[in-house]
Amino acid sequence: MTTALPKSAAALVARAAEPEFTAWRRNIVRLGGCTNPIHLVGVATVYDTTTGAALLSYGSDVYGGRLLTACGNRRATVCPACSGLYRADTYHLVRAGLVGGKDVPEAVGGHPRVFATLTAPGFGPVHTRREHEDGRVRACRPRRAGECCPHARPTGCRERHPADDPRLGEPLCPRCYDYAGAVLWHAFAGRLWHRFGLELRREVARRVGLPRTEFGEVARLSYAKVAEYQRRGLVHFHAVIRLDGPDGPDSTPPGWASVPLLVDAVRAVVGRVRLVAPGADVIGLRVLRFGTQVDVRPVTSYRRDAEERPASAAAVAGYIAKYATKGAETAGAVDGRIYHARDMVMLPVRAHVLRMIATCWWLGGLPEFEPLGLRRWAHMLGYGGHFSTKSRRYSTTLTALRQARADHRAEQQRASLGLADHPTVTVGRWSYAGRGYSPEAALLAASVREGGGLHGA
């Protein structure tokens, strides 16, 4: 008895018998396993820039009717292939600002720099997993037996939660938890970071006896940061902060610049930054700030162990790049935007996340909070900021890295066409024609992903 092939496999076998199969296959394989490619139709002509002569013309017909391009999504849950490329670019961007390379001088490795983690404050006790230094798990929140909140819920938890306990991050009492405060903190987290940067410059200037207006004439603070969602649904910021001369990584820091100065200044400023949320007459006064847990450690150009627990440049770059491809789904939220209140009924999320989403929707409908766009960012639990950002003079840019890759591929293409010795420019006219895969193309793309394919293969 013979077993019939799945439809996608049968379609792939049929496609393999067609004359244009090689071009069709190449069109898919070179995407490296992108899950949702963009379809383009059109034509392009390669011109010799010296003579103006047209050397080569081609259209989407040579790719089986449509030219496929990668979706470019940074999120690993949406497209593992494109997010892998984004993660690699982010790694090189961050590392270049620590040890040099990518047009950043190697001397930057000698500039004072720290790796800081700024946390969100607490909005109510949640179940958590704590460990002793020897790895033994501690009780969640030990309290006296019988202690209860105003809603008759226990104020403590003596359990030792396993790492996969679904209760981790859940409030001990949802009615006590300040959901409005948590959502507003998310909405203003980017502004808190901006205020932190301003205050840090002022603090460093004050500690070395400089007027704040003269700081920019002798020094510059640069950073690269990433937001990481915690299980409780709030983001932490992980950032490399570097002290340069006035022209950035190309200039030597002043003699007073040091790692201890930067460490102490960061710790001092985190506790001072404050913002007052709007809508105090509606939901009460909310003063927004960072959490009291702050971790600041030196960054070295190599890995070593010491009392001050320095972090190596490679480890820091890898850490930031890892979280640059993640989103609110790591806290149990959803990937896509929520357009109607009725959609919340069917969301596959835990109770705590659903309450945060519902709070975004409620506050977003009030005039006092309309400018915050909370309904638009409800699927992100109110956080609408970028996940990875950097200051202008930190290092290279993602755009520059992508352009370098595109130039390299264009050079490879010219060589394959025998045009390596010709100065050329390509003029094309392409139109959007859809996205996604046919069943047989999706099967081929999945095999590329399983094989660890790379863009441009």
Side-chain angles (χ1 to χ4, degrees), residues 134-159:
D134 60 4
R136 290 183 295 117
V137 180
R138 300 164 57 188
C140 173
R141 301 185 69 87
R143 297 292 187 275
R144 291 178 183 175
E147 272 193 18
C148 294
C149 72
H151 307 105
R153 299 287 293 268
T155 58
C157 173
R158 293 184 173 274
E159 290 194 39

Side-chain angles (χ1 to χ4, degrees), residues 70-275:
C71 69
N73 197 295
R74 69 160 186 88
R75 297 170 69 177
T77 55
V78 176
C79 183
C82 292
S83 70
L85 196 61
Y86 184 90
R87 182 171 60 247
D89 284 347
T90 302
Y91 173 85
H92 289 294
L93 183 152
V94 176
R95 188 176 182 275
L98 294 172
V99 298
K102 310 296 180 184
D103 296 326
V104 179
E106 293 184 3
V108 77
H111 294 198
R113 61 269 178 91
V114 297
F115 181 51
T117 297
L118 279 58
T119 63
F123 296 96
V126 299
H127 291 282
T128 187
R129 177 181 168 86
R130 308 175 191 272
E131 294 184 0
H132 293 281
E133 291 184 0
D134 60 4
R136 290 183 295 117
V137 180
R138 300 164 57 188
C140 173
R141 301 185 69 87
R143 297 292 187 275
R144 291 178 183 175
E147 272 193 18
C148 294
C149 72
H151 307 105
R153 299 287 293 268
T155 58
C157 173
R158 293 184 173 274
E159 290 194 39
R160 290 171 170 79
H161 296 291
D164 59 350
D165 193 324
R167 290 173 295 174
L168 290 175
E170 293 284 322
L172 273 65
C173 176
R175 295 175 65 186
C176 288
Y177 195 84
D178 183 12
Y179 282 100
V183 165
L184 288 175
W185 189 89
H186 258 174
F188 282 88
R191 300 184 207 185
L192 278 171
W193 172 263
H194 177 69
R195 180 69 61 85
F196 165 78
L198 295 177
E199 291 295 330
L200 183 59
R201 290 172 178 84
R202 294 168 182 167
E203 178 67 14
V204 172
R206 184 188 66 80
R207 286 175 179 257
V208 299
L210 276 175
R212 67 177 67 175
T213 55
E214 296 180 10
F215 179 80
E217 299 176 6
V218 297
R220 176 188 289 267
L221 281 169
S222 299
Y223 72 85
K225 74 171 175 65
V226 69
E228 175 201 357
Y229 273 88
Q230 302 296 297
R231 181 69 179 170
R232 58 182 173 139
L234 295 168
V235 298
H236 288 182
F237 288 139
H238 304 287
V240 172
I241 304 172
R242 192 185 66 220
L243 191 51
D244 301 323
D247 297 323
D250 298 320
S251 55
T252 303
W256 48 256
S258 68
V259 170
L261 169 68
L262 201 51
V263 169
D264 293 342
V266 169
R267 286 177 174 156
V269 168
V270 169
R272 290 207 305 263
V273 176
R274 297 282 192 279
L275 289 174

